[in-house]
Amino acid sequence: MPPRFGKPSVDSARQILHYGTPRPCYQCLRKLQLRAFSSSPYREHRQTRQRRTMWRWLNGPGAVFKEPLPGSTNYLNAYDANGKLLRATKSRSSSARSDDQESEPEQADISSDNIEKNIASGRPIPKEAAVDLIPFPLNRSFRSQPVLSEEFKDEIFKQVVEDDKSVRTVSADLGVEMSRVGAVVRLKSVEKRWVEEGKPLALPYARAVLEMLPKTRFASGPRQPIHESINDLPVHRHTKTQIFHPVSESRQFTRIDAGKAFSQNLLPADERVPHPELITLEKERIAGVQSGEMRRRQQQRAEEEKARYEARAKVRQEIEERDVTKVALPHSRWEFRFRDIRVEDVGRTGRDKRGVGARYGFPHEDRKRGQVKIPTKVE
């Protein structure tokens, strides 16, 4: 039996005759419009409010971050909610309370409105405090460390290469770690070679990065600011094990004895630091040695150490030439080197440094279950 269709009403028939198709309701049109963008009108409104807040901050307090401060960092933690530099505000308020207000220079008021005027007038910007070197406000433990300025790097390269000073002497005089001194010399050598070869350098990028970081500048005077700690004791691999070393109460246990407890060939801490000569100078100063005599002794020790280093390098080179067989093919840029290896070179434990390759998978037994850790006798 075929389905029956009811007769259309008079209103719907008038709609079809007048418009051609039935007119959809307002709620259907509203659903179609919202479905293309978001199912929630509140979420769309919230994103718009956040975007307006972002542009309001960029054009207001955040305008101070468009250009870096001259000779200073420009981190978010150094400003208040209104875009005012906190250390400039504190310095100005403290100088206003002091009696000698006229004798002190006027500090700069760095804000989004008068930053160009302050820079043009030459007002000094206060030096950053420790709280101003926090680039991430939610990570208070991280503080940006200073880097070497370009003139400081040039001075290090000049003293090592041109003045023929040792890396140890330059490190002690300028307060820069020896490994960093060596890195600066190598990178400066590469830079100068690239300039001679005509290779382009990313100088604008380097200058832009240096303007955003705290820097340690070279001082030509007698007092050079210390860039970093240069005499930290390195962690030796023999000291990473857990040792129970009993001693009698009447025995005087020194640093030399502590080194022998870990290994018979381990030097004491006073001799394993990067600059043992500084400890010797301090001992001589406490003993009352005159400054001229101290300099003379230090120069003599430096010359003796340089002679020993050159002698060791010469012996090492002779051993290399004796034990290594070099084979160079004609019209080739490569050179093959062969060395005779014996199985006995690895030693009884298989960990001798004369063995071939690096050996992994040999953990220490100081924390292994079943090992006797408590000492059984006192020597």
Side-chain angles (χ1 to χ4, degrees), residues 289-302:
V289 182
Q290 300 296 329
S291 59
E293 180 66 17
M294 290 173 58
R295 287 194 296 268
R296 188 188 66 81
R297 293 181 182 181
Q298 176 59 26
Q299 184 177 3
Q300 182 179 0
R301 287 192 294 266

Side-chain angles (χ1 to χ4, degrees), residues 127-152:
K127 186 175 177 56
E128 310 98 306
V131 69
D132 299 325
L133 299 178
I134 302 177
F136 311 108
L138 298 182
N139 188 4
R140 310 286 297 184
S141 300
F142 176 78
R143 296 184 179 180
S144 182
Q145 299 298 322
V147 298
L148 298 177
S149 61
E150 285 296 329
E151 61 271 11
F152 205 164

Side-chain angles (χ1 to χ4, degrees), residues 169-241:
T169 303
V170 175
S171 174
D173 294 342
L174 301 181
V176 182
E177 193 179 5
M178 289 193 295
S179 59
R180 196 177 305 278
V181 172
V184 168
V185 172
R186 289 192 295 269
L187 292 177
K188 278 294 179 180
S189 302
V190 173
E191 179 182 349
K192 294 182 181 298
R193 187 175 70 249
W194 281 16
V195 172
E196 294 176 357
E197 296 176 357
K199 294 183 178 181
L201 302 178
L203 296 180
Y205 173 76
R207 285 193 291 265
V209 172
L210 284 178
E211 288 179 357
M212 301 177 187
L213 297 174
K215 293 175 288 295
T216 302
R217 304 184 183 276
F218 174 71
S220 57
R223 297 184 63 84
Q224 168 63 38
I226 297 178
H227 177 69
E228 57 190 345
S229 178
I230 63 174
N231 219 19
D232 293 338
L233 182 65
V235 179
H236 198 273
R237 60 185 181 88
H238 288 306
T239 60
K240 296 181 180 180
T241 58

Side-chain angles (χ1 to χ4, degrees), residues 12-29:
S12 60
R14 289 177 179 176
Q15 277 187 342
I16 294 174
L17 292 175
H18 185 73
Y19 297 103
T21 56
R23 185 171 54 182
C25 61
Y26 173 77
Q27 294 181 356
C28 298
L29 290 176

Side-chain angles (χ1 to χ4, degrees), residues 106-159:
E106 186 179 359
Q107 301 293 343
D109 183 15
I110 308 298
S111 62
S112 59
D113 300 331
N114 54 5
I115 179 172
E116 297 181 357
K117 182 177 63 177
N118 288 325
I119 295 176
S121 61
R123 296 180 181 178
I125 299 176
K127 186 175 177 56
E128 310 98 306
V131 69
D132 299 325
L133 299 178
I134 302 177
F136 311 108
L138 298 182
N139 188 4
R140 310 286 297 184
S141 300
F142 176 78
R143 296 184 179 180
S144 182
Q145 299 298 322
V147 298
L148 298 177
S149 61
E150 285 296 329
E151 61 271 11
F152 205 164
K153 297 177 184 177
D154 295 336
E155 181 65 23
I156 292 176
F157 182 82
K158 174 181 175 297
Q159 293 190 13

Side-chain angles (χ1 to χ4, degrees), residues 66-80:
K66 292 182 180 179
E67 297 293 338
L69 294 179
S72 174
T73 57
N74 201 29
Y75 295 152
L76 184 65
N77 202 67
Y79 294 87
D80 59 3

